[in-house]
Amino acid sequence: MKLISPDFDNSSKTPLYIQLYNYLKGEIMAGGISSGEKLPSLRKLAKDLSVSVTTADLAYSQLTVEGYIYSVPQSGYYVSELGLDDSHESAQPKGIIGHGTFSIDPPAYRYDLSCFNFVKWKKCMARVLNEYPEALLYESDPQGEEALRCEISRYVYSSRGVIADPDQIVIGAGTQQLTSHLCRIMKRMSIGLVSTEDPGYLPVQNIFRDHGFSITKIPVGQDGIDINRLPTNLASAVYVSPSNQFPTGSVMPVGRRYQLLQWAKENQSYILEDDYDSELRYFGKPVPALQGLDKHSRVVYLGSFSSTLFPAIKISYMVLPEEMMHIWSDIKTDYTQTCSKTEQLTLALFMAEGSYSTNIKKLRKLYSQKLQVALNAFGKYAKGVVQPINTQSGINIILKVRTRKDPAELSASAGELGLNVIPTAGLTEQDTAALIFYYNQIPLEEMDGCIKNMINKWVE
Amino acid sequence: MKLISPDFDNSSKTPLYIQLYNYLKGEIMAGGISSGEKLPSLRKLAKDLSVSVTTADLAYSQLTVEGYIYSVPQSGYYVSELGLDDSHESAQPKGIIGHGTFSIDPPAYRYDLSCFNFVKWKKCMARVLNEYPEALLYESDPQGEEALRCEISRYVYSSRGVIADPDQIVIGAGTQQLTSHLCRIMKRMSIGLVSTEDPGYLPVQNIFRDHGFSITKIPVGQDGIDINRLPTNLASAVYVSPSNQFPTGSVMPVGRRYQLLQWAKENQSYILEDDYDSELRYFGKPVPALQGLDKHSRVVYLGSFSSTLFPAIKISYMVLPEEMMHIWSDIKTDYTQTCSKTEQLTLALFMAEGSYSTNIKKLRKLYSQKLQVALNAFGKYAKGVVQPINTQSGINIILKVRTRKDPAELSASAGELGLNVIPTAGLTEQDTAALIFYYNQIPLEEMDGCIKNMINKWVE
């Protein structure tokens, strides 16, 4: 064994016992002290190095906890067999790390801060932190905070005609998260097939696929999904967005809704109704949800706050029909809540004091003005090349562009203008690109010029 | 057709066209106007009811959008075939809803607000909302906010010896969420088997099961998982908590760590290292993470902020080795971020200004005092019935209780005292119940009395 002779730095802030621990670990790793060797006793080491026995004891204890040495009762301390191979001559990690100070890049696209009342929101959040900090010392309910579920229960009834007891409502961080829970529930019901709209919303399809479901794509027409092509004589589920089909914008008429409910009832199947932004309908009253028409507990209703609060909020909810609710009750403690408890409680307060409905009213007005200006601009500058569709509601417009350019190229050139325009699969045809144009974040006074410039770039 | 004769309420705030829409819908649903019947023209209806043509037009438009009626060009409006069955004589939903005003129940267990500096946290959150509101108008990166990943990169290196570039770090709302992503990555690597510690942390096992992985349970001894029983000649993964095994508290010695790394290298397998609360080690220096010893990119490192901030925070992270990182880059846009963007940015600020390390130092001191008082209390009152184990670190102690009572009964009677004591599977033996005692939230001055009362209840 090498002489144990650490160079203590008495002026250092590092305690002596850690200096000793570091020295001994280094020697062991470098082979200066070999495995199996007996170390000096605590008293001897303390005396040799002129340190206290406590210092020696603390160093040996730490080395023992980490397994570099071990103690044999009535005998002493020994160096462990570490099984180092040649590539481990140094335990020191190789550099990296350290990226400067805190900074957040501004969004890549144009934005309009008048879309959301952050002042009110901040006040609600401060109230939660000031008045209920103890609530944050415990995890959120896997089903979501009761205070929020009560508010949602009241809200979906009055705004969408959805009948939901707070116990039927499950909160999660986004539709994908809730879809994961639905997959778990449906597997326990021996449902293994999901029909989806084609074209449709892909992010949920990724979740069905990950959970091993078979997926059948059913074409969407002007009245929504083609009900006659849904599977029969088999319990399955269909994922639909009947009040503003994504991306076509079609609305399923009430007669078709009853037909779909009839299909579900006859085949012991379920309708997964994604009602993602139906509060934002600008012409006429919103179309009531399918769930409110259901008398046989065959509908799961899915809603989200991303479009009506702010996109980073990540709070979604679903309303489970009775049988699914019982299964969920059995399994829910297997899963932790993903949604921020602070934000759930903040939203509950924001809704309870009426700020949420005020905000929706404001958004309806603001977005319908923006939509009108956008449609006028497309009228003026489209030159028969760009055709806007799906223009009744929501936060985006689908554009059909007559072009031979790649949709990704169109998206990139719109991006250069700070416009968020995303290619959408399913609607693209020969010589026609389909893109989703998010108009809602473009400031009203910039709308006309932005659209003019975008179209000019596209026809270049 | 019944006479169209709505009772307009001119003093109502409800616009005339909605009153007309509601009336017509009610008549259609009740069968007063039958399917196939032709409705009066807009002009005629307007004249009959003494309303403007616009009012009539808006009512018909809404009914058309919702599918109650349809228009035939050059002919007029007709009532749709709705396919109502007998049970649908009323579209009016049956009651429910309305649960009073906003309220939050206090936690079911004792709590100690000195565990976290909510004032500092609130200031950071206010800064995010005041200075960067535009960041909240766009969704979070599926991988997590870069500002936070940079802070984590610096932090895990200095505190845990983990070598992680910000690009290797993935943020999610809890370990289950990250484990879901790991499952997706491993499936693409044709890994289908995960070994887990027995006893071990069940919530992640639920996720492996949901994603269809085979699970092999490997016994845990004093030095951690039994490496000799891990599968060989097969690419697999092992989920371990080497620095504070849950629930036994065993620490894997460094020699065993090298052995485990060797196993992973030889079998093209992966080590999923859950380092959930290793900052909270009260005796000696924290044991460095296994990831820092790995030279062959075989370790996924998992960390969480629940124990060191507050339990409701729900921010976790993982560090991916190179090959997994490439797969993640290919698939990450398929998934949305579940973690609150506001809280991610707040935490990044909290870390950047040094409040996070201050808080950890404070917690180490506070919790080690609490632990000492708790251990003294068990010494005084245990009467040979209760044996505390796993007492070096973390926020809980495992109690072995010599009893014939059911662990759930012990948990319930502790709960009556406001104590969070949860039965743990795997350590329970004949006449011995094993429970997890969360001591950290019990105020210091209440600790001794609480434990005395709890044990008295148990031995009654």
Side-chain angles (χ1 to χ4, degrees), chain B residues 209-224:
Chain B
R209 176 202 65 200
D210 289 354
H211 283 265
F213 280 77
S214 303
I215 298 175
T216 308
K217 297 187 174 198
I218 311 269
V220 164
Q222 228 184 311
D223 291 344

Side-chain angles (χ1 to χ4, degrees), chain A residues 87-290:
Chain A
S87 65
H88 289 123
E89 72 287 340
S90 160
Q92 206 64 22
K94 295 188 194 95
I96 317 188
I97 332 298
H99 268 243
T101 50
F102 179 81
S103 72
I104 307 176
D105 291 334
Y109 303 116
R110 283 163 204 262
Y111 56 85
D112 178 1
L113 284 170
S114 72
C115 292
F116 187 66
N117 190 339
F118 281 106
V119 176
K120 272 253 187 270
W121 180 255
K122 207 170 54 196
K123 276 187 190 156
C124 290
M125 199 167 248
R127 254 191 79 190
V128 169
L129 291 166
N130 289 335
E131 296 176 25
Y132 306 97
E134 67 278 4
L136 304 179
L137 297 177
Y138 287 92
E139 275 194 49
S140 177
D141 186 329
Q143 181 153 359
E145 291 304 296
E146 203 194 353
L148 179 57
R149 288 189 278 114
C150 288
E151 291 301 328
I152 291 175
S153 164
R154 271 194 285 276
Y155 167 71
V156 287
Y157 179 57
S158 65
S159 79
R160 309 287 305 124
V162 170
I163 301 165
D165 193 80
D167 290 345
Q168 288 175 268
I169 296 173
V170 181
I171 291 165
T175 305
Q176 285 194 330
Q177 195 53 40
L178 295 172
T179 306
S180 292
H181 287 324
L182 277 179
C183 288
R184 289 156 183 150
I185 294 168
M186 291 194 296
K187 269 191 198 161
R188 282 170 177 82
M189 301 172 93
S190 301
I191 293 175
L193 172 68
V194 178
S195 304
T196 59
E197 296 169 327
D198 183 23
Y201 185 60
L202 294 175
V204 293
Q205 296 183 26
N206 297 329
I207 303 298
F208 292 130
R209 176 201 65 202
D210 288 354
H211 283 265
F213 281 77
S214 303
I215 297 175
T216 308
K217 297 187 175 198
I218 312 269
V220 163
Q222 226 184 311
D223 291 343
I225 200 166
D226 186 347
I227 296 171
N228 297 321
R229 292 173 70 166
L230 291 174
T232 51
N233 302 316
L234 168 74
S236 72
V238 59
Y239 185 92
V240 288
S241 44
S243 298
N244 184 19
Q245 203 275 329
F246 184 87
T248 65
S250 73
V251 176
M252 188 181 282
V254 72
R256 295 285 291 261
R257 291 179 187 224
Y258 281 119
Q259 248 184 285
L260 189 57
L261 288 166
Q262 193 61 30
W263 165 84
K265 183 186 160 196
E266 278 169 10
N267 297 289
Q268 283 83 54
S269 293
Y270 284 91
I271 300 161
L272 316 179
E273 178 185 21
D274 190 350
D275 199 43
Y276 59 105
D277 67 1
S278 307
E279 295 98 332
L280 298 176
R281 175 161 286 277
Y282 311 117
F283 304 107
K285 268 186 26 165
V287 185
L290 207 157

Side-chain angles (χ1 to χ4, degrees), chain B residues 42-99:
Chain B
L42 289 174
R43 279 179 190 282
K44 182 168 186 312
L45 184 69
K47 198 165 163 243
D48 288 355
L49 303 179
S50 307
V51 297
S52 71
V53 175
T54 309
T55 298
D57 190 14
L58 283 168
Y60 276 12
S61 294
Q62 186 64 29
L63 289 166
T64 306
V65 166
E66 295 185 16
Y68 289 95
I69 65 174
Y70 58 94
S71 74
V72 177
Q74 269 87 48
S75 166
Y77 289 90
Y78 295 83
V79 176
S80 308
E81 176 58 66
L82 300 184
L84 304 178
D85 69 28
D86 286 349
S87 64
H88 288 123
E89 72 288 339
S90 159
Q92 206 64 23
K94 293 190 196 93
I96 316 188
I97 333 296
H99 267 244

